[in-house]
Amino acid sequence: MLSGKTAIVTGSNSGIGLAIAEALAADGANIVVNSFTDGSADHAIATRIAKEHGVEAVYLKADMSKGVECRDLVERTVARFGGVDILVNNAGIQHVSPIEDFPVEKWDAIIAINLTAAFHTTAVALPHMKAAGWGRIVNIASAHGLRASPNKSAYVAAKHGIVGLTKTVALEAAGLGVTCNAVCPGFVLTPLVETQITDRMAELGLDRETTIRDVILEKQPSKQFATVEQIAAATAFLASDAAAQITGTTLSIDGGWTAA
Ligand code: NAD
């Protein structure tokens, strides 16, 4: 379905990004796996994906907190594969703290990685997609792109920002075969959320099960985590030809959170 296409998935050595890389490879796309580390385990992920799905896959290190490296990631992909057809802006970090205590460096890092990185990668990838007459940009936003929670000022600001960026890029690319959409997961059990569970257990003196049900999933009516595979399947759908007329929208996968 996506054979011959090339996909960059930022932040794809873990969690949701890794599942997205797997799903796009399963649909036949060549894959650029990315993170900011450069260990043998990172390259092994690309090697495994290539072998399991019969596609080409490489690991390219690029720190999404640095604009130059974001832009360079896209240029290196084009140099390696001859183009970039699918861009999934997924890399993200979290920090939880009341705004008056929110460390400035955490604010800067969250805005840089969760929002500004997508500006840089999109700015370089979009001309290639427009020239090819086909492209898919999927931004992994969050329920926090549509709703706020206390103590997550930077994350909520960045995720609301990326929803706005998504709509703007969709309008700039409309009619040219290029779509741009945001996926908005509720809570998904990944390392990013695992940290929040252990922090809240320690803070509130609750066991893991109670913390997950009553604290972490408080706003998620299904009381179930979304899975990385569900987020990946939605992303793969948005990358497909069936989604050619879906652009500038948000797709919530949040167990009903934003219905309320
Ligand atoms: P994760 O911690 O498992 O993965 C984050 C990925 O981003 C990792 O691959 C990490 O290496 C990468 N990354 C972090 N900083 C980077 C940097 N400077 N440069 C390059 N890569 C970097 O977390 P996840 O839950 O899989 O998060 C993926 C995305 O999904 C994030 O944008 C997150 O905000 C979003 N999201 C997650 C949830 C959830 O509940 N887990 C919910 C909504 C949205």
Side-chain angles (χ1 to χ4, degrees):
M1 203 159 62
L2 296 175
S3 54
K5 307 276 195 239
T6 297
I8 300 172
V9 185
T10 71
S12 48
N13 67 349
S14 168
I16 291 170
L18 178 55
I20 292 171
E22 302 263 12
L24 295 176
D27 283 347
N30 297 322
I31 303 293
V32 172
V33 180
N34 156 261
S35 184
F36 60 102
T37 49
D38 198 14
S40 55
D42 297 320
H43 293 274
I45 290 171
T47 305
R48 180 180 56 74
I49 287 175
K51 200 171 160 198
E52 278 180 16
H53 300 287
V55 299
E56 289 186 59
V58 292
Y59 177 81
L60 296 181
K61 177 196 171 193
D63 184 343
M64 292 294 108
S65 70
K66 299 185 170 70
V68 171
E69 294 193 27
C70 296
R71 288 172 181 262
D72 192 50
L73 173 66
V74 181
E75 296 295 10
R76 286 156 70 203
T77 300
V78 172
R80 168 71 176 74
F81 291 99
V84 55
D85 306 290
I86 301 162
L87 169 64
V88 182
N89 289 303
N90 167 78
I93 59 169
Q94 174 64 288
H95 182 78
V96 182
S97 168
I99 193 162
E100 54 269 47
D101 303 325
F102 212 96
V104 174
E105 63 276 12
K106 291 284 186 197
W107 171 277
D108 288 343
I110 289 173
I111 299 298
I113 296 166
N114 296 21
L115 175 58
T116 310
F119 157 70
H120 289 296
T121 53
T122 300
V124 180
L126 191 57
H128 293 285
M129 295 176 177
K130 283 181 176 174
W134 197 97
R136 296 287 187 269
I137 300 171
V138 182
N139 294 323
I140 306 305
S142 169
H144 282 118
L146 305 168
R147 299 285 188 277
S149 294
N151 304 328
K152 295 185 175 176
S153 54
Y155 190 84
V156 170
K159 294 299 187 182
H160 274 66
I162 205 159
V163 168
L165 177 69
T166 300
K167 294 176 186 175
T168 306
V169 172
L171 293 178
E172 293 187 22
L176 301 174
V178 181
T179 68
C180 181
N181 293 289
V183 172
C184 294
F187 278 99
V188 186
L189 194 52
T190 66
L192 184 140
V193 166
E194 197 59 55
T195 310
Q196 294 179 56
I197 295 170
T198 46
D199 286 354
R200 298 291 270 165
M201 282 171 67
E203 184 188 329
L204 301 169
L206 297 172
D207 62 43
R208 184 178 169 86
E209 195 188 331
T210 309
T211 305
I212 289 174
R213 188 189 61 237
D214 296 346
V215 182
I216 300 291
L217 296 180
E218 182 200 356
K219 294 180 177 170
Q220 200 147 307
S222 66
K223 297 293 172 195
Q224 292 166 340
F225 287 108
T227 66
V228 295
E229 290 81 10
Q230 290 161 358
I231 311 306
T235 304
F237 168 68
L238 289 171
S240 73
D241 283 328
Q245 290 303 317
I246 301 175
T247 195
T249 197
T250 55
L251 176 53
S252 291
I253 308 171
D254 63 7
W257 178 344
T258 53

